[in-house]
Amino acid sequence: MNKILSKNEFWLFCILLILSCIVGGINDAFWSGTNLFSLFKSSVVMGIFALGVLIVILSGGIDISFPAFAVFSFYITVKYLLYIKFTGSILIPFAMAMAIGVALGLMNAFIISTFKLNPLIVTLGTGSAVTGFLRAFVGTGTLSNLPQPLIDFSRWNIYTETLADGSVIGFSGSFLILAALIVIMALILRNTTMGRGVYALGCDSVAAMRAGFPVRGIYYFIYGLVGALAGIAGIVHCSLIRLANPRDLEGTELEVIAAVVLGGASLTGGRGTVLGTVLGVFLIVLIKGSLILVGIPSDWQKVAIGLVLISATSITAYRAMRAGM
Amino acid sequence: MLSPLGLILIKDEDAMSSEIVKAEDIEKSFGGIKVLDRVSMAVSAGEICCLAGENGCGKSTLIKVISGVYPHDGGRIELNGREYQRLGPIDSIREGIQVIYQDFSLFPNLTVAENLALNDQVESGRSLVSWGRVRRIARESLAMIGIDMDIDKTVGELPVSSKQLVAIARAVYCNARLIIMDEPTTTLTQKEIESLFSLIRGLREKGISTLFVSHKIREMLDITEKITIMRNGRVVVSGYTRDFDEIKITQAMTGREISGDRFRWSGNTGEPPLLRTEKLGRSGAFQGIDLTLRRGEIVGVTGLLGSGRTELALALFGKGPSDEGRIFRNDREIVIKSIQDAIANGIAYVPEDRLTEGLFLEQSIERNLFANIYRKFINSVGLLDFRKVRAAASEKARQYGVTAPDISLPVRSLSGGNQQRVVLARWMSTGADVLILNGPTVGVDVGSKFEIHKKLREITESGVGILIFSDDIQELIMNCNRIMIIHKGSFTNEFRSDTLRESDLIDCLNASR
């Protein structure tokens, strides 16, 4: 019992539950299918990003280039598919965007591991360069007529319900992608040598090297994986909003990092869980999506997220300090 | 992604040499500087050996060459009779060489079980983790060294001595034939050192050799059979430990006769003393302290742990100040209630833990030297005159024998002895004439210790009085003209050191126990 009480995830879950009850108590529209389905839908892109950020943070690094990579991969993919008038399987755009994301991620890994640079600076640089390159050479126009497979994907629901007024709402199938990625990531981190290597690296890179871990290889794995996830998230994002806008997603990196930290990951590396991260994402999405329901103006969302982030991390830090004594 | 296998030149399975490591004429340079110059050493199965030498003598580099972290530039390395031209870390581990570094290379965020099983996991090339196997390995490896502990605890929660046990168990489980331990006793208590040594002797029974890398001579005499001493990148002497004694080893390590002269004071007792206390006390710490320090004197204060020794040292510097009695400087009464008071009255203090209390580790040598007296370098516009600072810092560093390639380097990059000199130089530059040193040579190697003592004696020639608070009996006898014994917060004895024998002082300390 004590073990459960000392877990960050348990408290996050409680906060999530309490917050839901408060919002639902004030405005019962919160519990409507429309709202809940839309909350889940909006957690997909952020959740995929967060899984990537989690693994980087676990390794003791940080990545703020992933939104730029996501935009780069989906925009080029969509533009190319429109050019060849693509109508094939949805897997192709995903594979393309992933490949682009991986290539960009490996570039991060190469720079970070070769020149031993601070990942914050490197990803700040590559993110900015990639964004600029995209706008200068590929285009700045919004593509609103997506290829048919992407439109089909956005309409894919695993469950639909017809409301009294005759409108149809559905639980987006894209959530399955997030769910699958959550399971895969949890397995990678818990049950593979590579995953344990990420924890080891984040704790002490010299010791990880001494233990025989191929440290450079782990860097390539991590940043490549982040790139792949960024590619997936990019395609999901543009397909869900049915728009490929090269100016999208800018600034989401901070929100995602906030969610991961809220989920209990330590910015110094080596500590954090997939479950915590997922709960952190849900919490941020809940705050963002529900404050409007209780009549709090949307400008206050940012304030609320900031306050939650600071109070949650200070509670964790305070508990750690107490335990240390 | 594992490092490439070293090229095996001699593949003679039958020639099972009992030598686990045989290094011959190893050479290694960094940026043109020769760090290892034709170094040879060997460790055979079931031996407990010691590689001794001062900081920077090349012993760590040699270990890194043997463990495959650094490639060697010249010479031969044989592990278990196989010669390696390019030795990688994995090769060395496969040959049963396990290094336990000072920081143990454990992962505090992971459990004991995972820490124990991790090396095997990586080495066996498995890509999936079986947690049942992890726990089994953990239990087995602890059983191999006969230790019982909770394998589900995270290593970060363990005390240092348990962390060391985890590191040893991990090494033994990885089929270690030779365990190399880098300064294993630094952070252990005497009792923990004894149990470590009995564990090491137990391992020898199983045919596992141990190589200690250390500069703690006394402990090494106790446990090792063979000793190799390095200096300036060369092996100066190597042989059976029974043929050595402390003095011989010290000479070999430092390359000089450590001066046997005791410090003599030839001042004038008629002058008013630099510092005098009358019935000084602080409730719960010390009481009735009458202490006199004259110009050019070095007075030692010693006592067992908890005797009030450190509290007295700190009180004189205004930290946890005295609450009764009086303090005089040159017969004029002064009040010391804060560190600022002490500094204003020309009292300087060099703390025991210079690393955390005395230095800004990440800052440059230059900045550390002048941290207390920047005001002196402010020019007419109220800004710091950096040219002046730089010049003065270089001069100070030279004067105090701080050897550093560049004074703009962080203090962290210096050896322990050099760091101590920076602290000393800084405090002397405040113009203080009473210097309080608390454990001045803790964690400093023999050569630097000698240099520091020499410097202290030099300082007294300008009339500075020094108080040394230390539990290093020999240090006190050699360098103080008077020694005070403190017990339960009071001075119980005073010795004049010119006729004092070490044993008398030790007896006196033990009697008060």
Side-chain angles (χ1 to χ4, degrees):
Chain A
M1 192 62 203
N2 255 333
K3 209 152 185 179
I4 293 176
L5 284 180
S6 71
K7 287 251 194 255
N8 191 42
E9 288 85 354
F10 171 77
W11 292 106
L12 265 178
F13 186 73
C14 291
I15 294 173
L16 206 55
L17 222 59
I18 294 168
L19 203 62
S20 305
C21 291
I22 293 175
V23 175
I26 295 174
N27 185 345
D28 56 11
F30 175 79
W31 298 112
S32 72
T34 324
N35 184 52
L36 291 181
F37 289 173
S38 108
L39 281 182
F40 276 112
K41 194 163 150 184
S42 38
S43 65
V44 174
V45 171
M46 192 181 203
I48 298 174
F49 279 145
L51 291 174
V53 169
L54 170 68
I55 195 168
V56 188
I57 288 184
L58 279 178
S59 75
I62 191 87
D63 189 333
I64 52 173
S65 61
F66 61 88
F69 289 4
V71 171
F72 190 83
S73 20
F74 81 65
Y75 194 73
I76 288 185
T77 304
V78 168
K79 195 152 186 170
Y80 176 74
L81 294 181
L82 284 175
Y83 177 71
I84 62 165
K85 302 199 168 46
F86 176 80
T87 52
S89 157
I90 181 69
L91 294 177
I92 301 295
F94 272 113
M96 251 188 90
M98 268 170 80
I100 296 171
V102 169
L104 293 171
L106 293 181
M107 174 178 75
N108 273 343
F110 172 78
I111 300 172
I112 291 166
S113 65
T114 308
F115 304 111
K116 310 261 180 290
L117 291 180
N118 181 328
L120 177 69
I121 303 304
V122 172
T123 55
L124 189 66
T126 54
S128 170
V130 161
T131 304
F133 182 87
L134 181 74
R135 291 182 191 168
F137 291 102
V138 187
T140 50
T142 302
L143 310 173
S144 49
N145 53 334
L146 295 190
Q148 195 55 39
L150 289 184
I151 297 175
D152 294 342
F153 176 75
S154 74
R155 287 188 182 137
W156 173 39
N157 286 322
I158 36 181
Y159 170 79
T160 51
E161 202 180 303
T162 311
L163 297 183
D165 62 1
S167 62
V168 177
I169 57 165
F171 188 83
S172 171
S174 63
F175 191 77
L176 284 187
I177 294 185
L178 175 62
L181 289 174
I182 288 171
V183 173
I184 292 172
M185 189 60 89
L187 286 175
I188 288 178
L189 285 179
R190 206 185 119 77
N191 289 46
T192 67
T193 306
M194 189 61 96
R196 301 319 288 175
V198 172
Y199 279 94
L201 180 65
C203 180
D204 184 340
S205 60
V206 176
M209 215 176 298
R210 285 174 188 159
F213 280 111
V215 168
R216 255 191 102 116
I218 299 180
Y219 276 119
Y220 280 98
F221 172 76
I222 291 167
Y223 288 93
L225 186 62
V226 174
L229 290 170
I232 297 175
I235 291 291
V236 172
H237 168 80
C238 77
S239 119
L240 287 186
I241 63 165
R242 301 227 196 133
L243 212 63
N245 179 357
R247 298 190 189 281
D248 260 1
L249 295 176
E250 227 173 341
T252 44
E253 63 270 14
L254 294 181
E255 235 162 53
V256 175
I257 293 170
V260 175
V261 171
L262 198 56
S266 153
L267 276 176
T268 50
R271 276 168 233 267
T273 60
V274 172
L275 180 61
T277 297
V278 172
L279 290 171
V281 169
F282 283 160
L283 192 55
I284 296 266
V285 169
L286 182 70
I287 294 171
K288 279 184 64 175
S290 304
L291 289 186
I292 202 86
L293 288 179
V294 292
I296 298 174
S298 58
D299 284 342
W300 286 91
Q301 283 174 13
K302 279 188 182 294
V303 178
I305 290 173
L307 291 180
V308 167
L309 182 68
I310 290 170
S311 44
T313 44
S314 15
I315 290 169
T316 318
Y318 179 70
R319 283 215 324 253
M321 216 160 65
R322 288 262 305 253
M325 283 174 186
Chain B
M1 290 305 293
L2 299 178
S3 74
L5 256 172
L7 233 166
I8 299 163
L9 285 187
I10 301 169
K11 202 177 180 185
D12 192 352
E13 303 287 302
D14 300 323
M16 273 301 285
S17 157
S18 69
E19 271 171 345
I20 298 171
V21 173
K22 191 169 158 197
E24 279 180 346
D25 299 329
I26 300 297
E27 298 194 350
K28 177 75 196 169
S29 303
F30 289 112
I33 297 165
K34 212 158 222 180
V35 185
L36 294 180
D37 187 8
R38 298 169 62 79
V39 170
S40 302
M41 85 166 297
V43 182
S44 301
E47 269 183 342
I48 301 178
C49 305
C50 176
L51 178 60
E54 299 192 305
N55 293 335
C57 71
K59 58 186 196 294
S60 309
T61 311
L62 179 60
I63 295 314
K64 287 189 170 146
V65 168
I66 291 174
S67 58
V69 177
Y70 295 154
H72 54 292
D73 302 339
R76 287 162 48 89
I77 292 187
E78 270 179 36
L79 300 182
N80 300 311
R82 286 183 180 180
E83 182 177 345
Y84 284 85
Q85 291 251 292
R86 260 203 73 186
L87 182 71
I90 291 289
D91 306 323
S92 178
I93 290 169
R94 293 217 170 103
E95 292 286 359
I97 315 282
Q98 287 283 335
V99 185
I100 299 179
Y101 293 94
Q102 247 177 309
D103 61 5
F104 305 135
S105 297
L106 295 172
F107 302 99
N109 58 337
L110 306 179
T111 61
V112 171
E114 196 173 359
N115 268 287
L116 285 169
L118 207 56
N119 282 25
D120 177 80
Q121 176 74 29
V122 178
E123 202 205 342
S124 63
R126 290 161 179 272
S127 50
L128 295 180
V129 180
S130 146
W131 287 94
R133 190 166 170 275
V134 165
R135 299 176 61 84
R136 205 193 69 233
I137 290 177
R139 283 202 204 91
E140 275 172 22
S141 41
L142 286 174
M144 279 167 110
I145 62 164
I147 299 288
D148 190 33
M149 69 170 91
D150 182 0
I151 60 171
D152 292 321
K153 264 205 166 147
T154 47
V155 163
E157 299 170 63
L158 301 177
V160 180
S161 55
S162 306
K163 285 182 186 157
Q164 191 175 49
L165 292 176
V166 173
I168 294 175
R170 181 177 67 179
V172 170
Y173 187 83
C174 291
N175 298 316
R177 302 198 61 209
L178 168 64
I179 298 179
I180 301 175
M181 300 187 81
D182 191 7
E183 298 291 355
T185 55
T186 333
T187 46
L188 300 186
T189 65
Q190 193 56 42
K191 230 181 122 190
E192 287 165 343
I193 291 174
E194 277 158 27
S195 61
L196 170 70
F197 283 178
S198 74
L199 177 64
I200 296 296
R201 291 197 183 96
L203 291 178
R204 181 181 52 186
E205 303 302 309
K206 295 181 179 167
I208 298 172
S209 312
T210 305
L211 174 63
F212 287 109
V213 182
S214 181
H215 63 246
K216 295 209 163 172
I217 304 155
R218 220 168 293 181
E219 287 160 18
M220 294 306 118
L221 286 174
D222 278 356
I223 180 149
T224 58
E225 296 152 1
K226 273 169 60 181
I227 192 160
T228 300
I229 299 169
M230 289 184 67
R231 187 175 73 234
N232 296 331
R234 293 195 186 90
V235 170
V236 280
V237 63
S238 180
Y240 289 100
T241 311
R242 58 172 182 270
D243 300 333
F244 286 87
D245 58 21
E246 219 177 310
I247 297 172
K248 238 173 150 176
I249 296 176
T250 308
Q251 277 179 13
M253 274 166 69
T254 58
R256 60 185 156 234
E257 299 265 347
I258 293 296
S259 146
D261 293 349
R262 292 190 181 183
F263 173 71
R264 278 173 206 285
W265 179 64
S266 51
N268 181 358
T269 43
E271 279 181 30
L274 277 177
L275 184 75
R276 183 164 61 83
T277 66
E278 248 180 50
K279 303 257 167 295
L280 201 68
R282 175 176 167 80
S283 58
F286 53 87
Q287 62 282 325
I289 297 289
D290 292 332
L291 178 71
T292 310
L293 179 69
R294 295 176 189 280
R295 286 174 62 84
E297 265 197 314
I298 305 182
V299 174
V301 179
T302 188
L304 301 169
L305 210 66
S307 58
R309 190 180 81 201
T310 304
E311 288 80 356
L312 175 60
L314 287 171
L316 290 172
F317 190 56
K319 193 177 173 193
S322 53
D323 46 25
E324 55 179 40
R326 302 160 74 185
I327 305 174
F328 298 89
R329 283 283 263 127
N330 302 316
D331 278 348
R332 195 171 51 82
E333 181 162 6
I334 57 166
V335 178
I336 298 179
K337 287 294 171 209
S338 68
I339 293 179
Q340 282 75 16
D341 290 346
I343 294 176
N345 280 298
I347 297 175
Y349 178 81
V350 179
E352 185 166 27
D353 188 351
R354 61 177 178 276
L355 299 181
T356 58
E357 292 178 38
L359 287 170
F360 304 100
L361 284 176
E362 302 299 343
Q363 295 287 347
S364 68
I365 298 166
E366 180 185 9
R367 288 188 179 179
N368 269 285
L369 279 171
F370 292 121
N372 308 37
I373 52 156
Y374 259 123
R375 240 168 268 135
K376 288 190 187 170
F377 297 103
I378 292 176
N379 62 19
S380 50
V381 239
L383 297 172
L384 274 175
D385 184 342
F386 279 105
R387 273 224 310 273
K388 236 159 105 189
V389 173
R390 172 62 54 109
S394 304
E395 172 57 23
K396 265 278 178 289
R398 200 190 49 76
Q399 203 180 333
Y400 279 82
V402 177
T403 44
D406 188 343
I407 53 171
S408 61
L409 289 174
V411 160
R412 183 185 288 286
S413 66
L414 293 178
S415 69
N418 272 319
Q419 290 181 351
Q420 192 68 299
R421 274 172 235 156
V422 171
V423 180
L424 215 56
R426 177 210 294 174
W427 281 109
M428 292 321 295
S429 63
T430 60
D433 60 358
V434 171
L435 179 60
I436 303 171
L437 299 163
N438 196 354
T441 55
V442 171
V444 169
D445 61 44
V446 189
S448 298
K449 198 166 167 174
F450 174 70
E451 293 289 332
I452 287 170
H453 290 156
K454 211 171 96 190
K455 194 77 222 171
L456 292 180
R457 293 181 187 201
E458 266 174 51
I459 291 172
T460 60
E461 281 162 20
S462 61
V464 173
I466 299 177
L467 279 172
I468 299 182
F469 291 76
S470 173
D471 52 9
D472 186 335
I473 301 294
Q474 218 190 347
E475 168 174 275
L476 293 174
I477 292 183
M478 297 308 291
N479 297 292
C480 301
N481 54 312
R482 284 187 293 131
I483 299 170
M484 321 291 294
I485 309 285
I486 187 169
H487 176 60
K488 290 192 178 154
S490 303
F491 283 156
T492 53
N493 294 74
E494 174 174 347
F495 292 101
R496 296 178 55 84
S497 64
D498 45 9
T499 53
L500 181 66
R501 281 179 313 176
E502 197 170 326
S503 55
D504 295 342
L505 198 56
I506 291 171
D507 289 347
C508 174
L509 273 174
N510 285 338
S512 65
R513 203 180 279 264

